[in-house]
Amino acid sequence: MKQQEKRRITKGNFTTALFKLCREKEFTRISVKDICSCAGYHRSTFYEYYSDIYDLRDQTEDRLIASLTKIFTLSSTESLTAAFIHSFTRINEESGEILWYLLSENGDPHFAVKIKEALKPYYFKVFAIPPTDQDMEYVFDFAIMSGLSFYVSWYSKGKHFDADSAVALVRRVLVDGLATVIAEHSEKPDQVSMKFI
């Protein structure tokens, strides 16, 4: 087995062990010893790759963001909404729910911000808006963070509709507006728009 492949597998095993343990106890209560025991490696092997468990988490996040950005930017035939939902769904399936865990309330609160900063330049590029436009900076922050929140909620609730239905719902909110979508489900639709003004 080539050294590079061996390194990839070893790092993958440490990542899997970390997130297996995260299902059992809080991240801050997990030790390097716990991870090594779960992964089947000596502590010296862990320290060949990582300085501590935070470094393991950060490197995992960086790999996920690189994969996510690659899939997201290659989805040029899809709308941004479809690219967003489909790329997150694909990465989460490939990562064994690690992406969802990191974005969840038990994960890393800084991870969503890292994703936002990685994806935002693409939004500026797609819409041909100068990156110095401060108003659009806020708009894209809102769009990306709302999308992340939607994704976590959808996944946490067992994805009770498929990815294409998720895309359709987000599109309706973005295109028709939040008030319109809420009014369609409200028992008092005529009062919805007044609540937003």
Side-chain angles (χ1 to χ4, degrees), residues 92-141:
N92 203 58
E93 287 169 356
E94 292 173 1
S95 71
E97 300 187 347
I98 293 170
L99 177 65
W100 169 79
Y101 173 81
L102 286 166
L103 287 167
S104 74
E105 62 185 32
N106 297 321
D108 178 5
H110 304 290
F111 186 48
V113 175
K114 288 182 184 179
I115 292 173
K116 179 191 71 172
E117 294 306 317
L119 295 181
K120 196 163 32 174
Y122 187 66
Y123 278 69
F124 278 102
K125 182 180 175 184
V126 165
F127 293 109
I129 295 171
T132 54
D133 188 323
Q134 290 185 343
D135 288 348
M136 292 310 296
E137 179 94 13
Y138 291 113
V139 170
F140 293 148
D141 283 351

Side-chain angles (χ1 to χ4, degrees), residues 3-15:
Q3 186 66 19
Q4 189 174 2
E5 179 67 8
K6 183 180 177 184
R7 287 181 61 83
R8 187 188 67 76
I9 290 169
T10 303
K11 290 180 94 168
N13 290 338
F14 279 127
T15 300

Side-chain angles (χ1 to χ4, degrees), residues 3-192:
Q3 186 66 19
Q4 189 174 2
E5 179 67 8
K6 183 180 177 184
R7 287 181 61 83
R8 187 188 67 76
I9 290 169
T10 303
K11 290 180 94 168
N13 290 338
F14 279 127
T15 300
T16 300
L18 172 62
F19 290 99
K20 179 181 178 189
L21 292 166
C22 282
R23 291 184 183 98
E24 300 167 10
K25 55 185 169 179
E26 290 178 34
F27 177 82
T28 54
R29 296 185 181 269
I30 297 170
S31 67
V32 171
K33 182 180 177 184
D34 294 334
I35 294 168
C36 291
S37 176
C38 184
Y41 293 97
H42 294 286
R43 287 166 56 101
S44 59
T45 305
F46 179 91
Y47 289 114
E48 285 178 34
Y49 297 93
Y50 310 104
S51 57
D52 55 28
I53 65 168
Y54 293 94
D55 186 31
L56 167 56
R57 184 187 66 190
D58 290 345
Q59 286 190 41
T60 301
E61 290 177 353
D62 291 345
R63 278 196 311 278
L64 288 170
I65 289 172
S67 297
L68 187 61
T69 305
K70 182 178 179 183
I71 293 171
F72 188 78
T73 56
L74 290 176
S75 303
S76 57
T77 58
E78 292 186 298
S79 70
L80 278 179
T81 304
F84 192 96
I85 298 290
H86 290 149
S87 58
F88 273 77
T89 302
R90 181 172 161 192
I91 291 294
N92 203 58
E93 287 169 356
E94 292 173 1
S95 71
E97 300 187 347
I98 293 170
L99 177 65
W100 169 79
Y101 173 81
L102 286 166
L103 287 167
S104 74
E105 62 185 32
N106 297 321
D108 178 5
H110 304 290
F111 186 48
V113 175
K114 288 182 184 179
I115 292 173
K116 179 191 71 172
E117 294 306 317
L119 295 181
K120 196 163 32 174
Y122 187 66
Y123 278 69
F124 278 102
K125 182 180 175 184
V126 165
F127 293 109
I129 295 171
T132 54
D133 188 323
Q134 290 185 343
D135 288 348
M136 292 310 296
E137 179 94 13
Y138 291 113
V139 170
F140 293 148
D141 283 351
F142 175 79
I144 295 168
M145 295 305 276
S146 296
L148 290 173
S149 179
F150 173 88
Y151 177 79
V152 170
S153 180
W154 174 59
Y155 205 90
S156 297
K157 293 174 181 164
K159 299 187 299 184
H160 64 280
F161 45 81
D162 63 19
D164 290 334
S165 298
V167 169
L169 178 57
V170 173
R171 271 193 193 133
R172 286 182 53 230
V173 171
L174 293 174
V175 175
D176 298 336
L178 188 57
T180 302
V181 175
I182 291 173
E184 290 172 3
H185 295 266
S186 176
E187 293 177 3
K188 298 179 181 179
D190 54 323
Q191 296 181 15
V192 170

